[in-house]
Amino acid sequence: MYDPTQLRTFLAVAQTLSFTQAARRLGLRQSTVSQQVRRLEEATGRPLFTRDTHSVELTEDGEAMLGFARTILQAHERAAAYFGGTRLRGRLRFGASEDFVLTRLPEILESFRREHPEVDLELSVELSGTLHRRLESGRLDLVLAKRAPGAGQGEVVWRDRMVWIAAEGVRIDPERPVPLILFPRPAVTRARALEVLEREGRAWRMACTSGSLSGLVAAARAGLGVMAHTRGLIPPGLVPVPERAGLPDLGTVDFVLLRGSRRPAAQEAAAALARALLAAGDRLHGPAPARRHGG
């Protein structure tokens, strides 16, 4: 009933909230993307998006379709692999940025490993800037990381706003330097935070630096300062800093998939994992639900 091609297009629009970005990701014309979404809406008999000249948003039925689309596409991939008679093998070196430590990425990778048991998946968790460099030097085959909007290559998984976050109740004194909690260089969020503060002529001081997201979150929960972070991935226990604090706008950031070209033997496995990540991209927003333990 539902065309997999139309479902992939729907997911691309739903994850980027942009017909233009979805077209770039899929290598299609924007008119083709609009046509495929319209045909899917005709098949469901429901509008899946509300859109005007400035924004695209999922309707309630569109939110429901996200889960159905993922399930249908996953079943389609499994059937194609089974009847295609090919089993993926070999080593796949995948790099993910620190942002995904607290998300459902482990669930997606676990599912990939079940479906492709003969692929030796090696995971590296690093800062986005470090991952970009390792991919360029041929030390990774596939990367999921941040980048500035429109900069460089890669398939946009989704675009998100960046916000200042801190422990609830933390106040920023406008007369004193902003206490910053930052990743070290070459972190994308670090560069953006310093750029906007310096552009506004706002003084700042380093309250904490750590290459670990867990370390930054601990410092922020302790009330040591503020950190720049993506709105869709705010860790539990932290909240956006109110606008009345007067901190400058951080703009947006893209989460992208980039594929290496140095190891042709890994390209098929990298393509399969990229498809799985793109299909489940909306599940990477927000923290993973806490697991309950018996006791």
Side-chain angles (χ1 to χ4, degrees):
M1 180 177 179
Y2 300 120
D3 186 328
T5 299
Q6 295 171 9
L7 292 175
R8 289 191 187 93
T9 300
F10 162 76
L11 282 177
V13 177
Q15 291 162 2
T16 61
L17 293 179
S18 166
F19 281 74
T20 302
Q21 287 295 327
R24 288 175 183 166
R25 174 166 133 181
L26 298 169
L28 300 173
R29 294 180 179 177
Q30 188 170 332
S31 59
T32 303
V33 170
S34 298
Q35 183 183 58
Q36 290 181 358
V37 168
R38 185 167 58 252
R39 287 178 176 171
L40 183 61
E41 289 179 324
E42 290 170 355
T44 62
R46 311 279 183 88
L48 302 176
F49 296 102
T50 57
R51 44 199 183 271
D52 56 32
T53 55
H54 302 292
S55 65
V56 176
E57 299 291 340
L58 282 163
T59 63
E60 186 175 343
D61 289 316
E63 294 280 0
M65 178 55 83
L66 281 174
F68 294 130
R70 282 197 305 267
T71 301
I72 293 169
L73 289 173
Q74 287 167 359
H76 187 268
E77 288 286 333
R78 287 195 298 270
Y82 180 86
F83 290 107
T86 58
R87 294 177 66 86
L88 295 179
R89 294 177 173 84
R91 184 166 62 117
L92 174 60
R93 302 167 303 172
F94 171 58
S97 72
E98 276 277 340
D99 304 83
F100 301 104
V101 168
L102 302 177
T103 71
R104 284 178 158 167
L105 177 61
E107 296 176 18
I108 298 170
L109 296 181
E110 181 183 13
S111 177
F112 177 82
R113 290 188 66 251
R114 282 199 308 268
E115 294 179 20
H116 306 288
E118 295 181 36
V119 173
D120 294 324
L121 181 63
E122 297 179 5
L123 174 65
S124 297
V125 179
E126 302 276 1
L127 302 178
S128 290
T130 301
L131 293 174
H132 287 293
R133 293 176 183 176
R134 292 187 65 187
L135 184 74
E136 290 169 2
S137 66
R139 289 181 289 164
L140 290 172
D141 304 307
L142 181 70
V143 160
L144 177 59
K146 294 193 299 292
R147 73 166 191 201
Q153 302 298 313
E155 298 170 277
V156 178
V157 182
W158 83 87
R159 175 170 290 175
D160 204 354
R161 291 209 65 79
M162 290 182 63
V163 293
W164 298 99
I165 62 174
E168 193 166 2
V170 166
R171 295 185 177 181
I172 304 301
D173 187 340
E175 302 301 321
R176 303 182 64 182
V178 179
L180 294 180
I181 298 171
L182 297 175
F183 282 118
R185 295 184 181 88
V188 172
T189 51
R190 176 193 178 99
R192 182 70 60 82
L194 298 183
E195 175 190 343
V196 300
L197 287 170
E198 291 173 2
R199 188 170 62 228
E200 296 285 323
R202 190 78 181 266
W204 56 273
R205 66 177 178 84
M206 191 68 69
C208 172
T209 181
S210 172
S212 161
L213 177 60
S214 298
L216 298 183
V217 170
R221 287 175 180 164
L224 298 187
V226 300
M227 56 187 288
H229 205 65
T230 49
R231 184 174 57 185
L233 294 172
I234 297 176
L238 300 177
V239 297
V241 175
E243 290 186 11
R244 63 176 178 273
L247 294 176
D249 181 69
L250 287 160
T252 61
V253 67
D254 285 347
F255 286 89
V256 297
L257 276 170
L258 301 111
R259 307 184 198 190
S261 58
R262 304 274 183 103
R263 294 177 64 238
Q267 290 181 7
E268 193 173 352
L273 180 54
R275 288 194 298 270
L277 291 166
L278 289 168
D282 54 283
R283 296 175 64 202
L284 293 172
H285 291 247
R291 293 186 177 182
R292 295 184 178 181
H293 300 276

